Amino acid sequence: MSAFEWREAPPGDYAVIGDPVAHSLSPAMHAAAYQACGLQLAYHAIRIPEAEFDEAMAWLVELGYRGLNVTLPHKLRAWDWADGTDPARSDLAPRAGANTLNLQSKLAVSTDEAGFMASLSDHEFPRKRALICGAGGTAMALAARLAENGFELKLWNRTPGKWDVFASETNRTEVVPALDPAGCDLILNATSATLQGFDLPVDWARAEPDALAYDVAYGKPSPFLESASKKKLTCQDGLRMLMEQGALSFEWWLGISAPRTDMITVLHERTAANLGDA
Ligand code: NDP
């Protein structure tokens, strides 16, 4: 795995930046895509501490990087760093910061929301009603995209109050005090609870039998999905969303179709190996 501190980063073409970032699966996923397409490109993981963002960005531009994926804690700074978004890709306009930068054009997009919607394509949602857990940047961005796609939303967060502004500005939303999935065909865990090994207090007995339980986390056992699977619900983790957002970044940078099957295959291999180690 090619992970570097930004001062020690070698020249390259593309990279994911964040802190921490050494665990990222993006280098393996993009390397698989380059290999499948016969591209001689290098993609690295580069750690940038929050306070060193501007200095590091200038250095990566000087090293010749063409594009970056951006993860925590830099998504908002990345959006501020850019001159704007790509007017040709309104579907990728950032809402909660940017996850993809083109360093040559200085444009920013976010592929998370479109990647998430693409990851739902195997499912039907006849009621178009979702229960969303969490109110961080990811939850807000996904909620906005689901609302645009006609979903009615029940919004919950551990710390009350964080959904109030969003709910007051968005039609067909309700902030709820408890995780009651009755009537919902999507139960979305967009918190970071799984990363810490915690479950959420969902009243699974009230879930609809055809509901999809979806956890945006990946690469770790999900207590949320384990609870949902005991109720025989269909379960999905965040791996396909990771692949779809990466594929959209690849396509935005390079202008060619991403080899999605090769990308998801390597992600499954890596996560299976990591879970085996745990
Ligand atoms: P934030 O730090 O912005 O938000 C975290 C949210 O999780 C908050 O609502 C917080 O609640 C809640 N939370 C944290 N711990 C718990 C807990 N133990 N119980 C209940 N709620 C909890 O994170 P992001 O929105 O940026 O990211 C959320 C998740 O999305 C991460 O796991 C990230 O890895 C994943 N992600 C996955 C992607 C993919 O491609 N699959 C893409 C992007 C993100 P409170 O307000 O009370 O603190």
Side-chain angles (χ1 to χ4, degrees), residues 59-110:
W59 179 235
L60 295 182
V61 170
E62 205 165 310
L63 280 178
Y65 282 85
R66 300 186 229 174
L68 299 176
N69 282 130
V70 183
T71 186
L72 293 178
H74 300 310
K75 289 186 177 183
L76 290 173
R77 288 288 286 279
W79 176 226
D80 290 343
W81 179 88
D83 287 341
T85 191
D86 182 349
R89 293 303 304 263
S90 58
D91 58 320
L92 303 181
R95 295 165 189 283
N99 80 335
T100 310
L101 293 173
N102 182 323
L103 300 191
Q104 292 166 322
S105 64
K106 265 203 118 187
L107 295 180
V109 298
S110 175

Side-chain angles (χ1 to χ4, degrees), residues 72 75 112 134-139 156-159 162 190-193 195-196 198-200 216-218 238-239 241-242 245:
L72 293 178
K75 289 186 177 183
D112 281 338
T138 303
W156 174 90
N157 192 48
R158 175 181 61 177
T159 307
K162 293 195 182 173
T191 74
S192 45
L195 298 185
Q196 305 151 25
F198 293 122
D199 201 353
L200 297 179
V216 293
Y218 54 84
L239 212 56
M241 176 179 168
L242 178 71
Q245 64 78 33

Side-chain angles (χ1 to χ4, degrees), residues 26 32-33 96 115 119-120 142 147 149 169 177 187 203 208 214 225 233:
S26 290
S119 77
L120 296 178
L142 302 188
N149 279 270
E169 292 171 349
I187 305 157
D203 185 356
E208 307 297 334
Y214 190 125
L225 294 182
L233 299 190

Side-chain angles (χ1 to χ4, degrees), residues 148-186:
E148 273 170 22
N149 279 270
F151 275 77
E152 190 179 324
L153 304 178
K154 290 209 253 177
L155 306 166
W156 174 90
N157 192 48
R158 175 181 61 177
T159 307
K162 293 195 182 173
W163 278 116
D164 293 352
V165 173
F166 179 95
S168 70
E169 292 171 349
T170 313
N171 291 333
R172 303 173 71 227
T173 56
E174 181 194 1
V175 180
V176 293
L179 287 170
D180 177 1
C184 295
D185 37 24
L186 172 63

Side-chain angles (χ1 to χ4, degrees), residues 4-18 44-48 52-70 74 81 101 103-104:
F4 301 92
E5 300 296 312
W6 70 266
R7 285 190 178 81
E8 279 126 41
D13 302 293
Y14 297 93
V16 55
I17 59 166
H44 301 300
I46 300 177
R47 189 178 84 90
I48 301 178
E52 296 168 19
F53 180 83
D54 291 327
E55 205 185 344
M57 288 297 289
W59 179 235
L60 295 182
V61 170
E62 205 165 310
L63 280 178
Y65 282 85
R66 300 186 229 174
L68 299 176
N69 282 130
V70 183
H74 300 310
W81 179 88
L101 293 173
L103 300 191
Q104 292 166 322

